[in-house]
Amino acid sequence: QVQLVESGGGLVQAGGSLRLSCAASGRTFRSYAMGWFRQAPGKEREFVAAISRIGGSTYYADSVKGRFTISRDYAKNTVYLQMNSLKPEDTAVYYCAAGYPPVLPGVRRDYDYWGQGTQVTVSS
């Protein structure tokens, strides 16, 4: 069992930055691939970024490539999402997810555990 707790969301102006954190419980953190998804009102949950179990591979949605960076800290059992050059269309609830391999990075059903989400609002 893995419990995920996101933090770091908030209100920011367009062009600004936020860093989301996702703290994972348990000693099996390094066994899981980690991902970030987001869901805007009235829309389906969509893939944002993912990082492999070992951390050597990262994946991004085209809409965030070059602006967002995913990373993980094994000592802190935490995965991060650094978000720069934020746009109003990035406004959504952001969810952290953990998947036991094999995991296709952008496939929701491949992830076994989900956090409760953190709200990100970007004003224009």
Side-chain angles (χ1 to χ4, degrees):
Q1 188 80 5
V2 177
Q3 291 185 326
L4 304 171
V5 179
E6 301 99 332
S7 61
L11 173 64
V12 64
Q13 288 188 333
S17 298
L18 281 175
R19 188 177 80 156
L20 305 184
S21 299
C22 173
S25 66
R27 296 178 291 178
T28 58
F29 175 68
R30 61 178 62 246
S31 298
Y32 290 85
M34 301 297 295
W36 286 96
F37 289 74
R38 67 187 181 187
Q39 188 166 17
K43 295 187 177 181
E44 290 193 357
R45 193 170 299 187
E46 65 175 6
F47 169 71
V48 175
I51 188 166
S52 62
R53 181 170 61 91
I54 301 175
S57 299
T58 56
Y59 311 87
Y60 298 93
D62 288 343
S63 58
V64 307
K65 203 170 293 183
R67 300 188 297 124
F68 291 10
T69 303
I70 188 171
S71 61
R72 65 192 298 170
D73 185 329
Y74 295 98
K76 295 182 179 180
N77 276 13
T78 300
V79 63
Y80 302 98
L81 185 68
Q82 177 67 44
M83 306 186 295
N84 299 328
S85 302
L86 282 162
K87 305 174 181 180
E89 50 263 45
D90 294 318
T91 295
V93 177
Y94 282 71
Y95 297 90
C96 174
Y100 193 79
V103 173
L104 289 174
V107 178
R108 283 185 295 170
R109 65 177 180 271
D110 280 1
Y111 291 84
D112 305 293
Y113 302 101
W114 293 82
Q116 81 290 349
T118 185
Q119 176 70 47
V120 171
T121 303
V122 184
S123 63
S124 57

